[in-house]
């Protein structure tokens, strides 16, 4: 039971959350959705800010994005992901992808995004695998660079060379200043807001939807620290939330993981454990992980193309997330 007077995560340490100072979501998806999601889990920076040596008296970006962005500086959010995604239990495909976003200090200035698949999709052999499907996946690779004011680019290019901001509705995966300002700063109220998502006929529980929205929200890197603290408190109120220490992200950086297994009538014990990995000092998300909690057979199998079994304990997908401040688009924060 989590008391109503939950302190910020940096006060909890070795208790409920044990932090030292502290859609897209990891879930089985249809093929088309998986292609988009694989592209949305963005690139971890390795190496430092690649700018020229500073001139005397030049203002350098702060390393902590919670200190705010000075004019001319950019919030950098990068994610690198590597994982196996499934399509309705028939075919799985292995995808590595990166995504980087540079958000300017002034929201209405020009943003930049880069996406890339580190290598083509690799289909995990299963009874439904065909060369045609392999070609379909490879043709569906999603990579490129986009720029637009307010970050309102279109991946299909409808707003190319249009400098003005397009109207954007704030969502968990794309929070606007108005969206952030309107969110409640009370854990119970915020959890209720997160659970509003699924429609009555949705095949996922409101709890899993809330956890997935929270994961997407944190991965944007745009959640201010006060709201991150409330969000972590809200997640601790989810029935069945799991806490683990020293969980490594895709790059090996360790943090505290908040995990959730969705229990439904179809699979009462759940299928996989989805985790949000949090840095114990900054309370920023540093990655995600999804692990099988029960064996799963993929495909019916035949003599030439056997079914694939993912056993309990298999890490199905991981990501590493980096959030920092840089002086111009294209740069990465110092390690």
């Amino acid at each position: 039971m989590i008391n109503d007077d939950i302190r910020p995560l940096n006060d909890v340490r070795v208790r409920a959350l044990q932090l030292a100072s502290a859609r897209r979501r990891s879930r089985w998806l249809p093929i088309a959705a998986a292609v988009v999601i694989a592209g949305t889990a963005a690139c971890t920076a390795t190496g430092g800010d690649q700018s020229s040596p500073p001139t005397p008296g030049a203002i350098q970006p702060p390393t902590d994005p919670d200190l705010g962005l000075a004019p001319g500086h950019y919030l950098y959010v990068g994610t690198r992901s590597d994982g196996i995604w499934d399509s309705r239990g028939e075919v799985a495909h292995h995808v590595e992808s990166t995504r980087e976003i540079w958000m300017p200090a002034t929201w209405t200035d020009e943003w930049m995004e880069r996406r890339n698949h580190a290598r083509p999709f690799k289909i995990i052999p299963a009874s439904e695998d065909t060369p045609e499907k392999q070609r379909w996946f490879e043709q569906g690779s999603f990579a490129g660079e986009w720029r637009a004011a307010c970050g309102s680019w279109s991946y299909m290019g409808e707003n190319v060379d249009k400098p003005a901001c397009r109207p954007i509705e704030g969502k968990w995966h794309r929070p606007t200043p108005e969206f952030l300002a309107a969110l409640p700063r009370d854990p119970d109220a915020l959890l209720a807001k997160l659970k509003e998502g699924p429609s009555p006929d949705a095949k996922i529980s409101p709890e899993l939807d809330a956890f997935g929205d929270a994961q997407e929200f944190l991965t944007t890197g745009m959640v201010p620290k006060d709201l991150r603290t409330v969000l972590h408190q809200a997640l601790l109120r989810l029935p069945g939330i799991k806490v683990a220490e020293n969980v490594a992200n895709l790059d090996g950086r360790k943090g505290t993981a908040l995990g959730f297994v969705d229990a439904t009538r179809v699979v009462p014990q759940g299928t996989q454990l989805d985790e949000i990995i949090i840095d114990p000092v900054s309370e920023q998300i540093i990655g995600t992980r999804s692990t099988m909690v029960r064996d799963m057979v993929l495909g019916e199998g035949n003599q030439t193309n056997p079914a694939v079994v993912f056993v309990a304990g298999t890490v199905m997908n991981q990501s590493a997330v980096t959030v920092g401040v840089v002086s111009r688009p294209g740069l990465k924060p110092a390690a």
Side-chain angles (χ1 to χ4, degrees):
M1 174 69 69
I2 304 299
N3 296 326
D4 290 337
D5 60 346
I6 290 179
R7 294 166 298 186
L9 294 185
N10 57 330
D11 294 331
V12 180
R13 196 166 183 87
V14 191
R15 298 189 208 15
L17 188 53
Q18 300 178 325
L19 284 171
S21 144
R23 60 172 75 237
R24 144 114 260 231
R25 58 198 64 159
S26 297
R27 189 171 303 164
W28 294 102
L29 299 170
I31 289 177
V35 170
V36 175
I37 294 301
T40 63
C43 166
T44 293
T46 58
D49 191 321
Q50 302 164 12
S51 56
S52 302
T55 57
I59 298 175
Q60 294 302 301
T63 57
D64 184 355
D66 288 315
L67 297 178
L69 296 178
H73 291 164
Y74 291 77
L75 177 70
Y76 170 91
V77 184
T79 307
R80 184 169 70 91
S81 69
D82 186 354
I84 299 169
W85 302 88
D86 167 58
S87 173
R88 301 186 179 92
E90 297 174 349
V91 177
H93 55 282
H94 181 197
V95 177
E96 289 184 69
S97 63
T98 63
R99 184 192 189 199
E100 298 173 283
I101 289 182
W102 290 265
M103 184 188 78
T106 301
W107 179 272
T108 53
D109 287 347
E110 184 179 79
W111 298 37
M112 188 172 86
E113 176 177 353
R114 285 179 184 162
R115 295 192 186 216
N116 185 52
H117 289 294
R119 65 186 184 205
F121 295 100
K122 297 194 305 181
I123 293 183
I124 305 300
S127 59
E128 300 298 325
D129 185 11
T130 65
E132 289 75 18
K133 284 190 176 180
Q134 176 68 64
R135 285 195 294 271
W136 188 90
F137 280 118
E138 292 177 353
Q139 291 170 358
S141 294
F142 192 52
E145 181 177 299
W146 295 265
R147 295 172 182 259
C150 302
S152 58
W153 49 71
S154 165
Y155 296 115
M156 299 299 106
E158 291 94 337
N159 65 326
V160 173
D161 299 325
K162 294 181 181 179
C165 295
R166 293 190 306 158
I168 295 179
E169 179 185 1
K171 297 182 181 296
W172 297 110
H173 68 276
R174 183 56 190 273
T176 60
E178 295 77 15
F179 181 87
L180 291 170
L183 289 175
R185 264 54 177 180
D186 172 76
D188 292 313
L190 186 58
L191 181 58
K193 182 73 174 175
L194 284 163
K195 293 169 70 173
E196 290 177 356
S199 60
D201 60 345
K203 295 183 180 180
I204 62 174
S205 68
E207 291 76 18
L208 180 60
D209 190 74
F211 188 86
D213 282 341
Q215 178 175 308
E216 288 187 323
F217 190 36
L218 289 168
T219 304
T220 67
M222 301 177 190
V223 186
K225 190 166 186 177
D226 69 315
L227 188 53
R228 292 200 301 270
T229 298
V230 175
L231 181 60
H232 299 155
Q233 294 172 355
L235 290 175
L236 284 173
R237 286 160 160 76
L238 277 175
I241 196 74
K242 300 178 183 296
V243 179
E245 287 294 323
N246 296 315
V247 175
N249 70 2
L250 182 58
D251 287 342
R253 184 179 174 188
K254 294 182 178 180
T256 298
L258 298 179
F260 186 77
V261 176
D262 188 35
T264 66
R265 290 190 297 271
V266 178
V267 187
Q269 69 274 47
T271 301
Q272 63 186 35
L273 170 67
D274 293 332
E275 293 174 295
I276 300 169
I277 308 172
I278 301 168
D279 178 79
V281 177
S282 68
E283 299 188 33
Q284 278 280 11
I285 186 173
I286 59 172
T288 63
R289 185 175 72 169
S290 182
T291 307
M292 299 302 299
V293 297
R294 61 188 292 268
D295 294 354
M296 187 191 73
V297 178
L298 185 66
E300 298 179 359
N302 53 48
Q303 290 183 343
T304 59
N305 206 354
V308 175
V309 179
F310 296 110
V311 300
T314 300
V315 176
M316 298 301 290
N317 47 72
Q318 289 178 285
S319 74
V321 180
T322 296
V323 180
V325 181
V326 295
S327 57
R328 60 181 173 83
L331 302 184
K332 300 181 182 182

